[in-house]
Amino acid sequence: MRCWTVEHVLRFENGLDEVQESLLPCFQQFLMWPPDDCVTLEWVQDMMVILEQASQKMLPSEFCHVVPTILVDKLADAACSILCKESNCVEINCQEDSRVIVVGDIHGQFHDLMFLLKHAGVPSENQIYVFNGNYVDKGAWGIEVFLVLLAWKVLMPHRVYLLRGNHESRYCTARYGFKKEVWAKYGDQGEDVYNKFLECFKELPLASVIANCVYTTHGGLFRSIHAVPSQKPKWHKTHRVDLGSLAELSEVKRACIDSPYEGPNILLSDVLWSKPSNRYGLRDNTGQKLGLWWGPDCTEAFLKQHNLKLIIRSHEGPDARAGRDDDFGDMLSGYSMDHDVESGKLYTLFSAPDYPQFGERRYNNKGAYAVLKSPDFASPSFHSFKVAERPMVDPYVHFDANNMDLSKLDSSQSASTSAFSAPQRFYPDGMRPEFDFGALGIYNAPCWSVELPDGSGGTQVVQVPRAPLVEGLPLPPNIQEPHKAAYEYLFELVAALKHMIVTRETENRARVSALQSRARKRKGKG
């Protein structure tokens, strides 16, 4: 795409009239890895600003020019060198003046993360952040979210803690959009970048204990790996599910990219996928095939066993709660108190408002974050927030979260891109194609409107004018419907776009010529 660059042509001491923004260069900022390998606060802040601006002004295919692969590699390697040294359950010590912010699922909603950091305040010596996982999938900016959090982790390794969610896996990222996002933004380099992210996911810790009294994780509680087989006949033999301990959690081999649904490392699945229930006891989630259901008695036993007072977990948003037949909270405010027992409480926390960004139904929910502070870190305050303004983008994947078949999960193989169903494209008013391409199985057809800069830093929807002459028409009579209508539509649109480009190019040349002429006259008078 060609962009006029008149600012280098017309630069005089006396100045000229402002050139319209539509004539200025395309977005040209990009990130460079610090030459001394030292990440600074200024570098992280610049990174957030550049990524936020790029999300507003760039196509996904241009993202690799803003964040080159070498920077992804350097940042991921720097973060992994820190993460790999952290235990499965990180101990977070707090001072009297410490404040801890706990954040739930983000799901690629970058602009909401930026709002949260501005509203709650960025990490600092006195402000610690604990993120409960699910940074990617179902939203358009999973890369931006994860890179910013990795940058903060490298800058402040003892003030930012990144836990793993169930979506930090090969299986989920192939199904719910992150893999396709990486390919859209990095093209031929997508496979290398995607694998780098997968390697980083494997290093993320699984849980945290804050100030010796608060346990946080993504999914929840987990079974004991030392359960005794039941005394049933051989053909009915099952394993009793007993509650696990933090000591057993420390033994988990977390470097599996996908959660196992059986075997000695099944605790990894439990801690990422389990859900609370009002029904007493601990039992397998037979429908989902991963994770457990646990009741308030298990919450009480876990808190009492480890001398804890509070559990904050995530994993469930308004979509997960909408279909439940118990009296748990609907998560529309971003959080829910699920268990209130003698030793303490259990909360679910979700930080992605108006979720999901891509999907057939949006819940118009608020996101939330929790604040823990002295003198009682086990008495959280919750802060709900509405969705931040974000640019319109096409979905990377169309999905139905209720039809997730985990029985096909295979941690030894990479999921194929053929697993993607056809994406459904969402159009603003006035931008839907006139022809129903859905009849041909095409769900991302172009329309007769485009978004262009409005000259004030925003964008406006502009209707593409019809062209006086259309090349390729009329079509041969042997082409049948609905293909005939589709070809006619596309030929007319191509002709209209060519006509629009030529017209705008001519107008821009005339405008630049006029500016040059005025500049010469002013210079002559000087």
Side-chain angles (χ1 to χ4, degrees), residues 25 28 66 78 88 94 152 194 213 364 374 379 412 415 451 480 511:
Q28 292 183 344
V66 177
N88 287 340
C94 300
W152 278 109
Y194 179 65
C213 62
N364 194 32
S374 180
S379 297
S412 65
E451 278 191 300
Q480 302 298 314
R511 194 175 304 158

Side-chain angles (χ1 to χ4, degrees), residues 81 179 234 241 243 363 401:
S81 68
K179 181 176 182 180
K234 185 175 182 180
V241 181
L243 186 63
Y363 286 85

Side-chain angles (χ1 to χ4, degrees), residues 48-347:
M48 292 195 298
V49 170
I50 290 173
L51 291 181
E52 193 163 14
Q53 291 177 350
S55 72
Q56 304 278 353
K57 300 180 181 181
M58 291 185 60
L59 295 172
S61 58
E62 298 171 324
F63 183 82
C64 59
H65 303 302
V66 177
V67 184
T69 56
I70 188 172
L71 185 139
V72 176
D73 290 342
K74 293 276 191 180
L75 181 55
D77 289 344
C80 284
S81 68
I82 298 170
L83 295 168
C84 70
K85 299 173 184 176
E86 294 182 334
S87 60
N88 287 340
C89 182
V90 293
E91 298 280 346
I92 302 174
N93 298 316
C94 300
Q95 307 300 321
E96 289 186 1
D97 58 349
S98 295
R99 180 172 124 125
V100 183
I101 310 295
V102 183
V103 182
D105 301 46
I106 301 172
H107 281 301
Q109 297 186 194
F110 177 69
H111 304 86
D112 297 312
L113 172 63
M114 293 298 98
F115 172 82
L116 191 157
L117 291 172
K118 293 172 185 175
H119 189 262
V122 298
S124 65
E125 285 301 314
N126 297 326
Q127 179 146 293
I128 300 168
Y129 268 85
V130 179
F131 293 87
N132 270 356
N134 277 15
Y135 311 108
V136 302
D137 282 341
K138 303 187 181 183
W141 302 282
I143 293 177
E144 288 87 336
V145 167
F146 197 53
L147 290 179
V148 164
L149 295 182
L150 289 182
W152 278 109
K153 180 64 180 176
V154 172
L155 177 66
M156 309 190 77
H158 301 297
R159 293 295 179 268
V160 176
Y161 294 91
L162 308 180
L163 308 185
R164 184 173 174 179
N166 65 307
H167 277 265
E168 277 72 64
S169 67
R170 179 191 289 116
Y171 176 83
C172 284
T173 52
R175 181 181 177 91
Y176 289 98
F178 182 65
K179 181 176 182 180
K180 194 171 182 181
E181 176 191 345
V182 175
W183 253 259
K185 293 179 179 178
Y186 283 96
D188 294 340
Q189 299 172 310
E191 183 174 2
D192 292 337
V193 175
Y194 179 65
N195 288 332
K196 177 62 72 171
F197 283 128
L198 293 184
E199 289 298 317
C200 206
F201 292 162
K202 293 192 296 184
E203 301 292 352
L204 297 171
L206 306 177
S208 76
V209 171
I210 302 168
N212 297 314
C213 62
V214 181
Y215 173 75
T216 82
T217 190
H218 180 73
L221 303 189
F222 46 90
R223 75 193 74 199
S224 171
I225 56 177
H226 304 304
V228 180
S230 63
Q231 299 302 314
K232 290 186 178 182
K234 185 175 182 180
W235 55 88
H236 286 308
K237 183 167 286 189
T238 59
H239 287 273
R240 191 179 72 210
V241 181
D242 294 332
L243 186 63
S245 66
L246 290 179
E248 291 173 292
L249 181 62
S250 68
E251 300 175 18
V252 171
K253 304 291 190 293
R254 73 183 192 231
C256 298
I257 190 54
D258 283 324
S259 300
Y261 54 88
E262 59 184 1
N265 213 34
I266 197 170
L267 268 68
L268 177 63
S269 301
D270 291 346
V271 78
L272 298 180
W273 289 88
S274 292
K275 299 177 181 179
S277 168
N278 279 340
R279 176 180 163 186
Y280 277 57
L282 191 68
R283 64 193 188 278
D284 286 312
N285 188 337
T286 54
Q288 187 172 261
K289 297 184 175 65
L290 288 175
L292 304 167
W293 292 103
W294 83 89
D297 57 325
C298 299
T299 295
E300 168 64 22
F302 187 84
L303 291 174
K304 189 173 183 178
Q305 178 185 3
H306 298 99
N307 196 27
L308 301 170
K309 298 179 181 179
L310 176 67
I311 298 174
I312 300 179
R313 46 88 63 175
S314 298
H315 187 51
E316 290 181 282
D319 57 332
R321 292 292 173 90
R324 293 185 60 161
D325 57 3
D326 50 31
D327 58 354
F328 273 25
D330 56 20
M331 296 301 297
L332 293 180
S333 61
Y335 67 98
S336 168
M337 186 179 72
D338 297 333
H339 290 163
D340 186 358
V341 296
E342 181 180 354
S343 295
K345 296 177 181 179
L346 163 72
Y347 286 92

Side-chain angles (χ1 to χ4, degrees), residues 473-517:
L473 297 182
L475 294 171
N478 61 329
I479 299 179
Q480 302 298 314
E481 297 291 357
H483 298 87
K484 180 180 179 182
Y487 286 139
E488 289 175 344
Y489 176 92
L490 292 173
F491 278 136
E492 289 177 359
L493 181 56
V494 168
L497 290 170
K498 288 176 65 176
H499 178 67
M500 182 178 180
I501 292 172
V502 170
T503 301
R504 286 181 171 249
E505 184 85 353
T506 302
E507 292 174 351
N508 285 345
R509 286 180 178 272
R511 194 175 304 158
V512 171
S513 178
L515 288 172
Q516 289 175 325
S517 177

